[in-house]
Amino acid sequence: MIVCEDIDCIRAFIKSQKDKAAGLVPTMGYLHEGHMSLVDKAKELSDVVIVSIFVNPKQFGPNEDFNRYPRDLEKDKNLLISRGVDVLFVPSLGVMYDKDFSSKVIIEGISNILEGAFRPGHFDGVCTVVSKLFNIVKPQRAFFGEKDYQQLKIIQKMVKDLNFDIEIIPVPIKREQDGLAMSSRNVYLDDISRHRASSIYSSLLKAKKQFENGLTCVKTLTNIVKNNLDVDSIDYIKIVDKDTLEEKTTASKYDRILIAVRISGVRFIDNIEL
């Protein structure tokens, strides 16, 4: 595996590959099997696979965990090597944002709801760094997990609106044995909190089952989720259109239940398709 720390290195690699199709998996590191499911899909659909690791400060709010965010680059490298990744792009802060950097990519509307309402500016930071990665790597395909469902839909809209010649490939959520969605932040939990966190997915499943039994009232379905959670606080439980993320009052097939909760100071998001 080639490790590139600057833009010239990654562009030289891409140039050397000529007509080979490149697949990009953007990450913030501290990799787990959820990330590896993206890598596996990229290997399946690409000639060469590039993984980026960059903890992007522009998508963290002033009271969020940028400095605390877990990092283990050596472990990440070994995991990527074992999965047959061709290139790891691991730029420094200065490489991605020089001292005169002053640009921002904003996708209006869809970025201001749900996560955007609780984390103002978060998706501006995501779209800015992802657009930079797209322009640096110029992949034919990029792979994003469905756990960050709103992020996935925003990236898809950005690609469409700004005419990026890139196919966005969604990859299903990878879960622990008890159903908790894999996340780098899971490491923050002690055993008791970890057990409580398993209620997130089980509560979503209960609502999904009731929908399959014919219940379509959004208020009732979201109350089923709420009443089966074991969490400290709830930021939101919403049932939305799978494409537009518009809130529904009556649930339909393929809508998504999106949820954000907090347990022991850790914030979790998850979702499930009806």
Side-chain angles (χ1 to χ4, degrees):
M1 183 178 72
I2 298 169
V3 178
C4 287
E5 297 180 354
D6 59 67
I7 293 171
D8 288 343
C9 172
I10 191 71
R11 284 183 169 167
F13 172 81
I14 294 296
K15 188 176 180 180
S16 73
Q17 300 304 298
K18 297 182 179 179
D19 295 327
K20 291 183 179 179
L24 173 65
V25 180
T27 81
M28 292 204 302
Y30 210 74
L31 305 178
H32 50 67
E33 283 301 311
H35 296 107
M36 291 305 101
S37 69
L38 304 182
V39 169
D40 292 344
K41 180 59 72 172
K43 285 183 66 65
E44 177 185 331
L45 298 178
S46 312
D47 298 321
V48 294
V49 174
I50 299 160
V51 174
S52 65
I53 293 178
F54 178 66
V55 184
N56 177 34
K58 292 188 178 297
Q59 67 191 71
F60 287 80
N63 298 314
E64 295 183 337
D65 59 350
F66 173 73
N67 291 322
R68 186 185 172 207
Y69 193 85
R71 297 160 170 86
D72 191 338
L73 184 57
E74 288 307 309
K75 180 183 176 183
D76 290 347
K77 286 179 180 177
N78 290 332
L79 190 54
L80 294 173
I81 289 169
S82 73
R83 264 340 210 267
V85 168
D86 298 287
V87 183
L88 169 61
F89 180 44
V90 55
S92 66
L93 182 61
V95 167
M96 291 301 286
Y97 303 117
D98 63 36
K99 62 181 181 180
D100 297 323
F101 187 87
S102 59
S103 299
K104 185 183 293 186
V105 178
I106 301 172
I107 308 301
E108 294 183 334
I110 195 173
S111 292
N112 299 323
I113 59 176
L114 301 165
E115 286 298 285
F118 283 87
R119 305 179 67 189
H122 168 69
F123 289 118
D124 300 350
V126 170
C127 289
T128 299
V129 76
V130 170
S131 65
K132 283 179 67 68
L133 289 168
F134 286 175
N135 284 326
I136 291 166
V137 178
K138 292 183 170 61
Q140 280 67 45
R141 297 182 178 92
F143 299 79
F144 289 85
E146 291 185 347
K147 183 178 79 71
D148 298 286
Y149 191 79
Q150 185 179 8
Q151 173 181 279
L152 167 66
K153 304 314 291 186
I154 289 170
I155 295 299
Q156 288 175 329
K157 182 165 176 55
M158 181 183 78
V159 165
K160 178 178 179 290
D161 286 356
L162 301 183
N163 303 111
F164 281 102
D165 188 19
I166 297 170
E167 182 183 5
I168 302 301
I169 306 295
V171 180
I173 299 170
K174 189 81 171 177
R175 298 186 179 277
E176 305 285 358
Q177 286 189 346
D178 62 1
L180 181 64
M182 291 186 176
S183 169
S184 300
R185 290 184 171 92
N186 292 355
V187 70
Y188 297 153
L189 296 175
D190 60 25
D191 289 344
I192 295 174
S193 298
R194 177 70 179 72
H195 178 72
R196 294 175 65 205
S198 66
S199 72
I200 300 170
Y201 185 53
S202 63
S203 69
L204 292 172
L205 285 177
K206 285 182 170 64
K208 179 182 173 76
K209 183 176 180 180
Q210 290 304 309
F211 173 79
E212 291 171 347
N213 288 337
L215 181 63
T216 60
C217 174
V218 162
K219 184 175 181 180
T220 305
L221 288 168
T222 54
N223 278 336
I224 289 170
V225 178
K226 181 179 179 180
N227 293 336
N228 285 279
L229 287 169
D230 182 10
V231 300
D232 297 327
S233 62
I234 300 169
D235 284 354
Y236 59 80
I237 305 168
K238 302 289 186 182
I239 298 181
V240 302
D241 180 271
K242 69 181 180 68
D243 295 316
T244 66
L245 302 188
E246 291 180 2
E247 285 189 46
K248 305 291 289 290
T249 55
T250 302
S252 304
K253 190 175 182 181
Y254 304 124
D255 286 345
R256 288 264 174 170
I257 309 179
L258 271 57
I259 185 172
V261 301
R262 299 172 192 263
I263 302 172
S264 302
V266 185
R267 190 170 186 274
F268 295 92
I269 61 172
D270 204 341
N271 68 88
I272 197 169
E273 181 183 76
L274 294 177

